PDB file of all heavy atoms in Angstrom:
ATOM      1  N   ILE A   1      -7.276-152.805  59.347  1.00  0.00           N
ATOM      2  CA  ILE A   1      -6.523-153.368  60.455  1.00  0.00           C
ATOM      3  C   ILE A   1      -5.494-152.330  60.908  1.00  0.00           C
ATOM      4  O   ILE A   1      -4.699-151.848  60.115  1.00  0.00           O
ATOM      5  CB  ILE A   1      -5.802-154.667  60.042  1.00  0.00           C
ATOM      6  CG1 ILE A   1      -6.832-155.691  59.583  1.00  0.00           C
ATOM      7  CG2 ILE A   1      -4.977-155.182  61.190  1.00  0.00           C
ATOM      8  CD1 ILE A   1      -6.216-156.965  59.055  1.00  0.00           C
ATOM      9  N   ASN A   2      -5.546-152.051  62.196  1.00  0.00           N
ATOM     10  CA  ASN A   2      -4.625-151.066  62.742  1.00  0.00           C
ATOM     11  C   ASN A   2      -3.718-151.768  63.746  1.00  0.00           C
ATOM     12  O   ASN A   2      -4.033-151.867  64.930  1.00  0.00           O
ATOM     13  CB  ASN A   2      -5.400-149.926  63.399  1.00  0.00           C
ATOM     14  CG  ASN A   2      -4.505-148.765  63.774  1.00  0.00           C
ATOM     15  OD1 ASN A   2      -3.294-148.909  63.855  1.00  0.00           O
ATOM     16  ND2 ASN A   2      -5.119-147.627  64.018  1.00  0.00           N
ATOM     17  N   VAL A   3      -2.574-152.243  63.272  1.00  0.00           N
ATOM     18  CA  VAL A   3      -1.641-153.002  64.096  1.00  0.00           C
ATOM     19  C   VAL A   3      -1.084-152.140  65.226  1.00  0.00           C
ATOM     20  O   VAL A   3      -0.935-152.589  66.357  1.00  0.00           O
ATOM     21  CB  VAL A   3      -0.501-153.586  63.230  1.00  0.00           C
ATOM     22  CG1 VAL A   3       0.524-154.297  64.090  1.00  0.00           C
ATOM     23  CG2 VAL A   3      -1.065-154.519  62.175  1.00  0.00           C
ATOM     24  N   GLY A   4      -0.806-150.893  64.931  1.00  0.00           N
ATOM     25  CA  GLY A   4      -0.267-149.993  65.942  1.00  0.00           C
ATOM     26  C   GLY A   4      -1.207-149.837  67.123  1.00  0.00           C
ATOM     27  O   GLY A   4      -0.790-149.843  68.281  1.00  0.00           O
ATOM     28  N   LYS A   5      -2.478-149.740  66.835  1.00  0.00           N
ATOM     29  CA  LYS A   5      -3.472-149.597  67.905  1.00  0.00           C
ATOM     30  C   LYS A   5      -3.572-150.894  68.713  1.00  0.00           C
ATOM     31  O   LYS A   5      -3.717-150.859  69.935  1.00  0.00           O
ATOM     32  CB  LYS A   5      -4.828-149.232  67.297  1.00  0.00           C
ATOM     33  CG  LYS A   5      -5.799-148.689  68.270  1.00  0.00           C
ATOM     34  CD  LYS A   5      -6.987-148.063  67.571  1.00  0.00           C
ATOM     35  CE  LYS A   5      -7.692-147.167  68.565  1.00  0.00           C
ATOM     36  NZ  LYS A   5      -8.632-146.282  67.958  1.00  0.00           N
ATOM     37  N   ASP A   6      -3.493-152.035  68.035  1.00  0.00           N
ATOM     38  CA  ASP A   6      -3.526-153.323  68.733  1.00  0.00           C
ATOM     39  C   ASP A   6      -2.323-153.483  69.657  1.00  0.00           C
ATOM     40  O   ASP A   6      -2.454-153.949  70.791  1.00  0.00           O
ATOM     41  CB  ASP A   6      -3.567-154.477  67.730  1.00  0.00           C
ATOM     42  CG  ASP A   6      -4.886-154.573  66.990  1.00  0.00           C
ATOM     43  OD1 ASP A   6      -5.881-153.961  67.454  1.00  0.00           O
ATOM     44  OD2 ASP A   6      -4.936-155.255  65.946  1.00  0.00           O
ATOM     45  N   VAL A   7      -1.154-153.090  69.170  1.00  0.00           N
ATOM     46  CA  VAL A   7       0.066-153.174  69.979  1.00  0.00           C
ATOM     47  C   VAL A   7      -0.038-152.241  71.182  1.00  0.00           C
ATOM     48  O   VAL A   7       0.322-152.604  72.300  1.00  0.00           O
ATOM     49  CB  VAL A   7       1.311-152.846  69.118  1.00  0.00           C
ATOM     50  CG1 VAL A   7       2.549-152.688  69.996  1.00  0.00           C
ATOM     51  CG2 VAL A   7       1.529-153.913  68.063  1.00  0.00           C
ATOM     52  N   GLU A   8      -0.568-151.052  70.948  1.00  0.00           N
ATOM     53  CA  GLU A   8      -0.733-150.091  72.040  1.00  0.00           C
ATOM     54  C   GLU A   8      -1.695-150.639  73.095  1.00  0.00           C
ATOM     55  O   GLU A   8      -1.429-150.539  74.294  1.00  0.00           O
ATOM     56  CB  GLU A   8      -1.286-148.784  71.480  1.00  0.00           C
ATOM     57  CG  GLU A   8      -1.502-147.705  72.521  1.00  0.00           C
ATOM     58  CD  GLU A   8      -2.098-146.443  71.908  1.00  0.00           C
ATOM     59  OE1 GLU A   8      -1.970-146.231  70.693  1.00  0.00           O
ATOM     60  OE2 GLU A   8      -2.696-145.672  72.676  1.00  0.00           O
ATOM     61  N   GLU A   9      -2.790-151.238  72.664  1.00  0.00           N
ATOM     62  CA  GLU A   9      -3.754-151.813  73.592  1.00  0.00           C
ATOM     63  C   GLU A   9      -3.143-152.977  74.375  1.00  0.00           C
ATOM     64  O   GLU A   9      -3.352-153.108  75.584  1.00  0.00           O
ATOM     65  CB  GLU A   9      -5.000-152.285  72.828  1.00  0.00           C
ATOM     66  CG  GLU A   9      -6.124-152.753  73.710  1.00  0.00           C
ATOM     67  CD  GLU A   9      -6.753-151.638  74.535  1.00  0.00           C
ATOM     68  OE1 GLU A   9      -6.707-150.465  74.124  1.00  0.00           O
ATOM     69  OE2 GLU A   9      -7.275-151.947  75.618  1.00  0.00           O
ATOM     70  N   PHE A  10      -2.368-153.803  73.695  1.00  0.00           N
ATOM     71  CA  PHE A  10      -1.701-154.927  74.353  1.00  0.00           C
ATOM     72  C   PHE A  10      -0.726-154.425  75.411  1.00  0.00           C
ATOM     73  O   PHE A  10      -0.680-154.939  76.531  1.00  0.00           O
ATOM     74  CB  PHE A  10      -0.972-155.795  73.324  1.00  0.00           C
ATOM     75  CG  PHE A  10      -0.200-156.920  73.933  1.00  0.00           C
ATOM     76  CD1 PHE A  10      -0.844-158.062  74.372  1.00  0.00           C
ATOM     77  CD2 PHE A  10       1.175-156.837  74.093  1.00  0.00           C
ATOM     78  CE1 PHE A  10      -0.140-159.105  74.955  1.00  0.00           C
ATOM     79  CE2 PHE A  10       1.894-157.873  74.671  1.00  0.00           C
ATOM     80  CZ  PHE A  10       1.232-159.010  75.102  1.00  0.00           C
ATOM     81  N   ALA A  11       0.047-153.400  75.071  1.00  0.00           N
ATOM     82  CA  ALA A  11       1.015-152.835  76.020  1.00  0.00           C
ATOM     83  C   ALA A  11       0.289-152.242  77.228  1.00  0.00           C
ATOM     84  O   ALA A  11       0.736-152.415  78.368  1.00  0.00           O
ATOM     85  CB  ALA A  11       1.864-151.774  75.330  1.00  0.00           C
ATOM     86  N   LYS A  12      -0.825-151.580  76.984  1.00  0.00           N
ATOM     87  CA  LYS A  12      -1.603-150.990  78.071  1.00  0.00           C
ATOM     88  C   LYS A  12      -2.139-152.085  78.997  1.00  0.00           C
ATOM     89  O   LYS A  12      -2.045-151.973  80.223  1.00  0.00           O
ATOM     90  CB  LYS A  12      -2.749-150.171  77.502  1.00  0.00           C
ATOM     91  CG  LYS A  12      -3.584-149.464  78.527  1.00  0.00           C
ATOM     92  CD  LYS A  12      -4.683-148.640  77.868  1.00  0.00           C
ATOM     93  CE  LYS A  12      -5.593-148.038  78.924  1.00  0.00           C
ATOM     94  NZ  LYS A  12      -6.711-147.309  78.313  1.00  0.00           N
TER      95      LYS A  12
END
Side-chain angles (χ1 to χ4, degrees):
I1 300 175
N2 190 342
V3 176
K5 197 167 198 166
D6 290 343
V7 170
E8 180 182 338
E9 187 67 27
F10 177 78
K12 183 178 175 184

